[in-house]
Amino acid sequence: MSEALRRDYSVCEEIGRGRYGVVFRCFSAVSGKSFAVKTIDKRLIADDSVDRQCLYNEAKVMHILSPNPHILQIFDVYEDESHLHIVLEHCNTSDLFHRLANRTVFSEPEALSVMVPLMEAIAHCHRRGVAHRDIKPDNILFNNRNQLKLADFGSAECFRDGELMTGIVGTPYYVAPEVVAGRDYNEKVDVWSAGVVLYIMLAGFPPFYGDSATEIFETVSRANLRFPASVFQSVSPATKDLLRRMLCKDVSRRFTADTVLRHPWMTGGGGDPK
């Protein structure tokens, strides 16, 4: 591990593990404050691979986006011959994935309390010319004050106004149909993914699903959005309207992140169940 990192931080127990690296809890040698350090083993990544580009892209993107109250903050980056170390804000409470696993569904006000800061984070990304491209509950964290923090920018891409992106990235349940189709796409893929997150919070299951990645992609491609009466009978019309506008296959008609934030359900307290 980097000597400079060990000089500045006391690295402690492992708190997470991914494809190429490990996340440790660490403490600042100066302030004693708690942080997380993401340690990535560069030797596991081919020099000419897309993942190698993502390796350095994540830190760059996080610097572009910082500071923002709803985006995980980056503090330091260290590199040695074999590893890249990214020191991040430490969120020591559960992520949205675990919160969903521990309960059946969210009420509309509870879902709203997640969606407002999430969409504010996504809108900030888009204004700064960054598409996250992997919005999902696992990447939606909460700190010890229950503030939402959007995390994991390893798949993020920078773009300019009107510029399209390429590449199949994301997670099957949450990926937008234009990505599945292999077409060029814009930042609205994040709005689609956030719409899936909202649907899951209210229904307890995804809007498009299957028994394999292939089947999931097929249902995503069809984008046949349904609201089963057994689940959605108590969900307000405003919520369903917002879901239709976020999970709209026609990208030209799909809401932008800023438009989502102005929708009556987002500004009116979550709607009255009807």
Side-chain angles (χ1 to χ4, degrees):
M1 191 168 284
S2 164
E3 290 185 13
L5 172 65
R6 288 195 175 278
R7 181 191 65 230
D8 296 338
Y9 294 90
S10 174
V11 181
C12 302
E13 75 275 12
E14 177 183 326
I15 56 176
R17 181 173 288 268
R19 185 176 168 192
Y20 294 121
V22 183
V23 180
F24 298 95
R25 182 183 176 93
C26 64
F27 294 88
S28 167
V30 175
S31 68
K33 290 183 178 179
S34 173
F35 297 89
V37 57
K38 187 174 185 177
T39 296
I40 303 163
D41 191 337
K42 297 188 294 185
R43 296 167 298 184
L44 299 177
I45 310 172
D47 288 340
D48 59 348
S49 70
V50 172
D51 288 333
R52 171 69 68 165
Q53 297 171 19
C54 293
L55 171 67
Y56 295 98
N57 190 52
E58 182 171 10
K60 182 185 83 170
V61 163
M62 294 189 76
H63 277 301
I64 290 171
L65 298 174
S66 292
N68 181 275
H70 300 303
I71 292 176
L72 198 69
Q73 189 169 353
I74 185 171
F75 290 95
D76 285 305
V77 178
Y78 300 86
E79 185 174 9
D80 53 40
E81 287 188 7
S82 59
H83 290 82
L84 181 71
H85 311 279
I86 305 174
V87 179
L88 304 162
E89 179 180 1
H90 180 217
C91 292
N92 57 358
T93 59
S94 61
D95 55 33
L96 184 59
F97 177 85
H98 288 95
R99 292 190 178 192
L100 285 164
N102 290 331
R103 56 193 307 172
T104 307
V105 293
F106 283 33
S107 68
E108 289 191 51
E110 288 170 332
L112 181 73
S113 71
V114 172
M115 287 302 296
V116 169
L118 174 60
M119 293 312 304
E120 286 176 350
I122 293 172
H124 175 75
C125 291
H126 294 177
R127 291 185 205 115
R128 293 289 180 92
V130 173
H132 185 283
R133 302 201 300 175
D134 196 18
I135 303 290
K136 59 182 178 179
D138 319 50
N139 293 334
I140 300 169
L141 312 182
F142 299 91
N143 66 14
N144 55 13
R145 296 186 298 280
N146 203 36
Q147 293 174 315
L148 182 146
K149 301 284 182 174
L150 182 59
D152 199 343
F153 288 83
S155 297
E157 180 77 18
C158 295
F159 65 90
R160 294 173 181 165
D161 285 345
E163 188 177 71
L164 298 179
M165 290 163 272
T166 59
I168 298 178
V169 296
T171 304
Y173 286 124
Y174 305 92
V175 70
E178 60 269 29
V179 178
V180 174
R183 299 195 304 269
D184 293 352
Y185 52 85
N186 64 21
E187 69 276 13
K188 287 186 182 180
V189 294
D190 289 342
V191 175
W192 175 281
S193 301
V196 175
V197 171
L198 174 57
Y199 189 105
I200 291 174
M201 285 193 289
L202 296 170
F205 53 84
F208 313 107
Y209 53 88
D211 294 328
S212 66
T214 300
E215 289 185 9
I216 295 168
F217 288 148
E218 288 174 354
T219 59
V220 167
S221 296
R222 289 194 294 271
N224 184 14
L225 183 61
R226 296 177 177 175
F227 299 112
S230 59
V231 176
F232 280 91
Q233 61 183 352
S234 62
V235 174
S236 68
T239 312
K240 296 173 188 174
D241 178 73
L242 178 57
L243 283 166
R244 289 189 190 97
R245 296 175 187 276
M246 296 179 75
L247 297 173
C248 179
K249 186 175 181 179
D250 183 345
V251 181
S252 67
R253 294 173 53 235
R254 188 183 306 158
F255 271 10
T256 65
D258 280 322
T259 312
V260 171
L261 285 168
R262 295 194 296 269
H263 188 274
W265 185 79
M266 296 285 285
T267 60
D272 296 319
K274 295 180 182 178

